[in-house]
Amino acid sequence: MNNNHIHLAFSDEKQSLSTTQDETVLQTLIRHDIPIKHACTNGVCGVCLTPLLDGKIDYGPQQPRGLNQKELANGYFLPCIARCQSDITIAEPKVKVR
């Protein structure tokens, strides 16, 4: 099983979170107490929309229905169903937790 890392571009300190291909990006962020708003956890609502700055993710058999073509073209992804296929770097989620 490969371990990948999620690098947080929005963190003041250089922070890298360890994850596996069995865990979604959202699950990893929650496990490490990184605030991210989420709701459906199945790729439909788009609440967890986050900029992917670098790296490769995979949605597996699920479809990112909560992601429109403009958001996709601008580099956004849905952490709730995305799994790391390589180390990734993300920016702060578009929707902030209040």
Side-chain angles (χ1 to χ4, degrees):
M1 182 181 309
N2 291 340
N3 283 338
N4 291 311
H5 294 90
I6 300 170
H7 304 283
L8 306 178
F10 57 92
S11 180
D12 289 339
E13 53 191 67
K14 294 197 184 240
Q15 191 171 6
S16 180
L17 313 176
S18 182
T19 188
T20 67
Q21 289 180 341
D22 294 332
E23 186 173 51
T24 66
V25 174
L26 178 65
Q27 289 168 332
T28 302
L29 295 174
I30 290 170
R31 181 168 52 83
H32 288 279
D33 297 322
I34 304 299
I36 180 171
K37 192 169 183 178
H38 60 282
C40 73
T41 66
N42 63 13
V44 175
C45 72
V47 170
C48 65
L49 190 67
T50 300
L52 177 64
L53 303 177
D54 190 36
K56 296 182 181 180
I57 53 102
D58 181 50
Y59 292 118
Q62 294 180 287
Q63 295 297 313
R65 291 188 179 96
L67 185 64
N68 66 40
Q69 289 301 316
K70 183 177 179 184
E71 292 161 341
L72 185 61
N74 286 324
Y76 287 93
F77 80 113
L78 298 176
C80 66
I81 59 172
R83 297 178 196 288
C84 294
Q85 295 300 301
S86 69
D87 287 354
I88 66 170
T89 302
I90 64 171
E92 193 164 14
K94 185 177 176 182
V95 180
K96 298 179 183 179
V97 176
R98 295 178 195 244

